Amino acid sequence: MNTNIIKIRLLFTLITLFVVNTSCSQTETIETQIAWDTWGVPHITSTTIEDLFYAQGWAQMHNHANLILELYGSSRGKGAEYWGQSKLQNDMLIHTLGFEELAKEWETKQDPEIKTIYTSFIKGMNAYAKAHPDAIDQKNKVVLPLTAQDMNMHSMYVIFTRFIGGNDLGRVQQWPDMGSNTYAIGPKRSASGNAMLVQNPHLPWWQEFLFFESHLNLNGKNMYGTTLVGFPGIAIGFNENLGWSHTDNTIDNADTYELELKDGGYLLDGKLTAFKTSSKTIKIKQKNGSLIDHKIPLMKTIHGPVVNKTKDKVLALRMVGLDRPNMLLQWWRMINSANFNEFESALKMAQIPFWNVMYADKKGEIFYLFNGLVPKRNHGDWKYWNRIIPGGKSKDVWTEVHPYADLPKVKNPANGWLQNANDPPWTSTIPMALNPDDYPSYMAPQYMPFRPQRSARMLLEDESITFEELVAYKLSTRLEFADRILDDLFAAVDASDSKKAKEAKVVLENWDREADTDSKGMLLFFNWARKFNVRRSSNYSKSWNIKNPNTTPDGLSDPKRAVELLETSATEIKTKFGKLDMPWGDYYRIRYNGKNLPANGIDGSMGVFRVAWPGGTDENHMYVGGGDSWVGVIEFGDTVHAKVLLSYGNATQKDSPHNGDQLELFSKKELRDAWFTEEQVKDNTAKVEILTKSGFQEKE
């Protein structure tokens, strides 16, 4: 062979090896970075799961350091030791439910991948605290360092005491409208032919209910969405192929039992049964800084731990999910799915014990699941179980839950859309695709309040839904209750001789039937509706009926009373404000981190899809306390198109410019673009931080 040819080939081989090695070297040395956008959202890029979650832990502390330490310290069951007597009841609940011991048990059973995620996330949070001690209030430094056990205990505290057992423990009674909205629109009802999804959880605007928005990119895989502050990963999100949302579902997976005391024990099937007793000693910080010991007696029954005790009875609580240590791993599997089959495989893990799932993807699939762990009961209907269970009967103690196959679910319905606004699964489609008679009578109740009726109506009336229309539906403040009842109220006023009621009627006739900031008549109608009591079925001449789920109830059972209430409401409004047509936003306000803005929306009981429930009042105003928290409207085309809003902003640190910076958009009923592609992120980056051995350093 020609020597020159050999030399050329050898040179070509060397060049090829150099290029390959250089390429590999560059791949191996890609820097883990956080690109912070102008809304304070971290866009995290990494090639390893360890660095990805280290970065997310760092980013969460950057935006929420003091909140996280307060939450973890409280969930640790040491709030009274750190901050005083006001935290004692919370500490007692945590120890009564045995979270500290359960967290240790979970650590031994958890999948290695979730252990890696927790460990990395916690390392990132601790590293931030070490690098930025000035960001942390002195009173919160006692909580450091954080541990993986803290992560487990915090997830238990939120999921078990706020959601699964929230009603039974009486811890959600202050929420006027606990819940969420979600839509999945299939190609047949989408103007573009692309599936679309609406994500819209409704939670209080404080403490453990606040969301954190982030964008994760692991080895080129884009994942975007939100999770509760202090949690790693993404719990409501989307990637380039699919997305999902959660809503609180009508699931009864916690039961409270009332047991009769006798001779130091309790009665089970009429026989004396001994409690399993123990105690725990915790510390309480005094005003002078000293600590005193406080002993907590702990009692357990066959039903569960005793959560309340009187002279002759106790209440014991039984909850599902205590044997499911990989809840957050299931979310990680969901956000990493590329198609419906992979996503459903994640759902079949059955680690997440609560919340409906609504799904849409790039292939045009849409799906609804009544998700959660439903106890298998050998008797009784919804009414029997949705109460305090009287007496100690062993037959009332369930031990198993229904598998995934048993749960109500709908995929690609004929009508082309799915909705849930915290109504039972039966009305996820109209006409209904699910028959409650096909399921155990305790699976879910039968009703459809005004908010899901409004939800369904907007879709029923639109055969070809555009992305812009879907955004408008999400932000709609139209009152379904007003559309349903005003004709009956007007007829009752016309039949009366009340001048005040007739004056009020003119205002309501001119009202746009919306709860926008400039809606004149909303305040008058709100005052009347609150007195009328929308939820009381006896107020209607035609009761709710599952055969007509979205058009009942209707009519006034007592027209005279309705007119009298309108007279009273008009008198109150005119006396207080001097006129009946005061704009809604002049009365209903957003007061948050020094901002005071006009609000729109109201709680969902009146059939408003844009939920903003009241959380406080003063002499002349009412203030938003919760409701629309995260909003995501996503279209799965060739590229993902998404509009989002995190109502209160992505930070709670006092000096952060993002503490409340999205409230003006909320006030104006606007969303913002989700910056998802590499180009979008680059165009909207405020600063970049690069991972070093000592944490993240800002890139110059």
Side-chain angles (χ1 to χ4, degrees):
M1 183 179 290
N2 188 296
T3 305
N4 289 333
I5 294 176
I6 294 174
K7 289 180 179 179
I8 290 171
R9 286 183 176 178
L10 179 61
L11 180 61
F12 179 81
T13 300
L14 290 172
I15 292 172
T16 301
L17 288 172
F18 175 80
V19 170
V20 169
N21 288 334
T22 302
S23 176
C24 291
S25 175
Q26 287 174 344
T27 300
E28 291 169 1
T29 58
I30 287 177
E31 296 174 302
T32 294
Q33 70 171 35
I34 305 173
W36 291 95
D37 73 24
T38 53
W39 291 108
V41 176
H43 301 260
I44 301 169
T45 303
S46 184
T47 58
T48 70
I49 193 171
E50 291 86 355
D51 286 351
L52 185 82
F53 282 98
Y54 179 96
Q56 195 187 35
W58 177 284
Q60 281 208 27
M61 284 291 277
H62 177 277
N63 285 16
H64 296 286
N66 286 292
L67 174 60
I68 288 171
L69 293 177
E70 289 170 15
L71 296 180
Y72 274 41
S74 294
S75 297
R76 194 182 278 175
K78 291 189 175 185
E81 178 179 337
Y82 300 153
W83 302 300
Q85 182 77 27
S86 65
K87 299 287 187 177
L88 178 60
Q89 290 300 316
N90 200 66
D91 289 353
M92 291 176 65
L93 175 63
I94 289 166
H95 293 297
T96 295
L97 297 177
F99 288 165
E100 186 173 17
E101 293 73 24
L102 185 60
K104 293 174 182 176
E105 181 183 329
W106 275 16
E107 280 196 67
T108 67
K109 297 179 178 179
Q110 283 172 325
D111 186 283
E113 188 172 13
I114 197 63
K115 287 185 177 182
T116 297
I117 289 171
Y118 282 6
T119 300
S120 302
F121 185 72
I122 293 294
K123 281 183 179 178
M125 291 200 287
N126 284 329
Y128 183 88
K130 183 177 180 181
H132 299 278
D134 293 344
I136 298 170
D137 294 346
Q138 188 62 39
K139 68 182 179 68
N140 295 329
K141 292 184 178 181
V142 66
V143 182
L144 292 166
L146 303 175
T147 68
Q149 177 165 312
D150 291 329
M151 178 66 254
N152 272 321
M153 290 186 71
H154 182 58
S155 66
M156 289 174 189
Y157 175 77
V158 172
I159 291 168
F160 291 117
T161 78
R162 291 302 199 179
F163 291 98
I164 292 175
N167 279 313
D168 290 79
L169 292 167
R171 293 170 68 82
V172 296
Q173 304 309 312
Q174 60 188 302
W175 301 6
D177 188 33
M178 173 182 174
S180 309
N181 300 323
T182 185
Y183 280 150
I185 311 299
K188 124 182 238 188
R189 292 299 277 266
S190 168
S192 66
N194 299 322
M196 295 185 288
L197 177 72
V198 170
Q199 305 167 328
N200 183 212
H202 304 155
L203 289 175
W205 287 4
W206 42 263
Q207 294 297 102
E208 62 267 22
F209 299 108
L210 296 180
F211 282 102
F212 178 74
E213 178 182 354
S214 58
H215 175 198
L216 309 179
N217 186 310
L218 180 62
N219 288 314
K221 181 181 287 186
N222 274 308
M223 299 167 277
Y224 200 107
T226 190
T227 190
L228 294 175
V229 171
F231 282 49
I234 291 172
I236 294 177
F238 62 92
N239 58 35
E240 290 164 342
N241 298 300
L242 57 84
W244 79 93
S245 193
H246 287 304
T247 58
D248 288 352
N249 47 351
T250 54
I251 188 171
D252 183 2
N253 53 13
D255 286 316
T256 302
Y257 300 84
E258 185 181 66
L259 308 174
E260 186 178 342
L261 295 175
K262 185 176 181 180
D263 299 334
Y266 65 98
L267 295 180
L268 179 65
D269 297 327
K271 296 179 181 180
L272 183 63
T273 306
F275 290 101
K276 289 184 178 180
T277 60
S278 60
S279 64
K280 196 160 240 190
T281 300
I282 63 173
K283 298 183 181 300
I284 305 175
K285 186 175 184 178
Q286 305 300 291
K287 290 183 178 179
N288 63 5
S290 64
L291 298 173
I292 63 169
D293 288 340
H294 180 82
K295 190 174 183 180
I296 304 172
L298 305 174
M299 303 167 67
K300 289 186 177 179
T301 72
I302 190 175
H303 308 77
V306 171
V307 294
N308 203 353
K309 184 177 184 293
T310 63
K311 183 179 179 181
D312 55 359
K313 292 181 180 180
V314 296
L315 295 180
L317 179 65
R318 190 172 192 81
M319 296 186 288
V320 301
L322 299 173
D323 60 343
R324 309 291 164 123
N326 291 312
M327 286 184 276
L328 275 76
L329 180 62
Q330 182 174 332
W331 275 312
W332 181 235
R333 295 275 193 271
M334 289 159 69
I335 195 65
N336 274 278
S337 299
N339 53 52
F340 178 77
N341 288 339
E342 291 181 9
F343 188 82
E344 189 175 35
S345 293
L347 294 179
K348 288 178 179 178
M349 292 172 65
Q351 294 291 307
I352 299 171
F354 197 73
W355 299 295
N356 290 299
V357 173
M358 190 69 77
Y359 168 96
D361 68 26
K362 191 172 183 177
K363 292 183 179 179
E365 308 262 39
I366 61 173
F367 177 71
Y368 161 78
L369 171 68
F370 183 75
N371 177 70
L373 303 176
V374 179
K376 273 190 176 180
R377 289 146 172 160
N378 55 24
H379 73 288
D381 57 10
W382 175 265
K383 186 177 180 181
Y384 181 90
W385 290 100
N386 190 38
R387 59 174 183 155
I388 294 177
I389 312 297
K393 302 174 185 176
S394 56
K395 71 174 184 177
D396 285 340
V397 182
W398 40 264
T399 57
E400 298 180 58
V401 298
H402 283 275
Y404 175 84
D406 290 356
L407 302 176
K409 57 184 76 69
V410 181
K411 184 181 180 185
N412 299 331
N415 66 345
W417 57 261
L418 290 159
Q419 75 82 34
N420 185 266
N422 309 116
D423 43 325
W426 328 123
T427 45
S428 57
T429 60
I430 300 291
M432 295 189 303
L434 294 170
N435 184 350
D437 293 339
D438 294 337
Y439 299 86
S441 56
Y442 57 72
M443 181 68 71
Q446 297 180 28
Y447 61 82
M448 190 182 193
F450 286 112
R451 176 160 54 91
Q453 290 189 34
R454 178 65 189 164
S455 173
R457 180 207 277 245
M458 290 187 289
L459 301 186
L460 282 165
E461 294 178 349
D462 193 341
E463 293 289 332
S464 180
I465 304 166
T466 67
F467 182 85
E468 291 73 22
E469 286 171 333
L470 194 59
V471 170
Y473 296 156
K474 168 55 226 104
L475 299 174
S476 171
T477 65
R478 182 91 178 190
L479 278 73
E480 186 71 15
F481 175 59
D483 285 338
R484 183 71 49 80
I485 211 68
L486 277 180
D487 59 338
D488 302 294
L489 180 58
F490 291 163
V493 171
D494 289 341
S496 76
D497 57 2
S498 170
K499 291 183 179 180
K500 285 184 180 178
K502 291 181 188 299
E503 181 187 2
K505 179 193 170 192
V506 172
V507 174
L508 295 178
E509 285 176 324
N510 292 325
W511 170 46
D512 58 11
R513 300 189 182 186
E514 297 186 351
D516 286 340
T517 58
D518 58 354
S519 293
K520 297 179 179 180
M522 173 59 191
L523 178 57
L524 174 61
F525 185 77
F526 170 74
N527 196 24
W528 175 81
R530 190 163 51 175
K531 298 178 192 302
F532 175 80
N533 192 343
V534 177
R535 291 187 171 97
R536 185 183 295 157
S537 60
S538 61
N539 284 336
Y540 304 96
S541 58
K542 185 188 295 183
S543 300
W544 183 82
N545 189 317
I546 197 168
K547 293 181 180 179
N548 301 289
N550 58 315
T551 57
T552 55
D554 199 0
L556 296 169
S557 61
D558 189 347
K560 183 180 178 182
R561 172 179 173 267
V563 173
E564 290 172 350
L565 293 178
L566 185 59
E567 285 181 310
T568 302
S569 299
T571 299
E572 289 177 355
I573 298 298
K574 197 162 189 178
T575 300
K576 192 171 191 65
F577 300 108
K579 57 183 179 180
L580 294 179
D581 60 350
M582 180 176 178
W584 179 236
D586 288 0
Y587 171 73
Y588 199 31
R589 309 290 296 178
I590 302 166
R591 186 170 60 180
Y592 189 100
N593 193 35
K595 296 183 182 293
N596 194 321
L597 300 164
N600 58 82
I602 191 58
D603 72 87
S605 65
M606 297 182 202
V608 173
F609 204 62
R610 171 48 171 275
V611 171
W613 71 64
T617 60
D618 59 25
E619 187 177 350
N620 295 310
H621 300 96
M622 187 167 68
Y623 298 96
V624 176
D628 274 18
S629 303
W630 167 258
V631 174
V633 183
I634 306 108
E635 181 175 8
F636 295 97
D638 292 336
T639 57
V640 172
H641 178 206
K643 292 273 191 180
V644 299
L645 191 75
L646 186 55
S647 300
Y648 34 70
N650 207 32
T652 53
Q653 288 292 90
K654 294 174 185 176
D655 59 349
S656 173
H658 307 297
N659 188 344
D661 65 338
Q662 297 180 49
L663 287 168
E664 290 186 18
L665 294 177
F666 182 96
S667 178
K668 294 187 289 186
K669 290 176 62 177
E670 294 178 3
L671 304 181
R672 56 182 179 80
D673 291 324
W675 294 317
F676 187 62
T677 66
E678 184 178 352
E679 184 179 355
Q680 289 171 334
V681 173
K682 184 178 179 181
D683 289 346
N684 295 283
T685 293
K687 70 173 182 179
V688 175
E689 292 182 313
I690 302 296
L691 180 61
T692 68
K693 290 182 179 180
S694 59
F696 282 89
Q697 300 291 330
E698 187 169 350
K699 186 177 182 179
E700 296 181 1

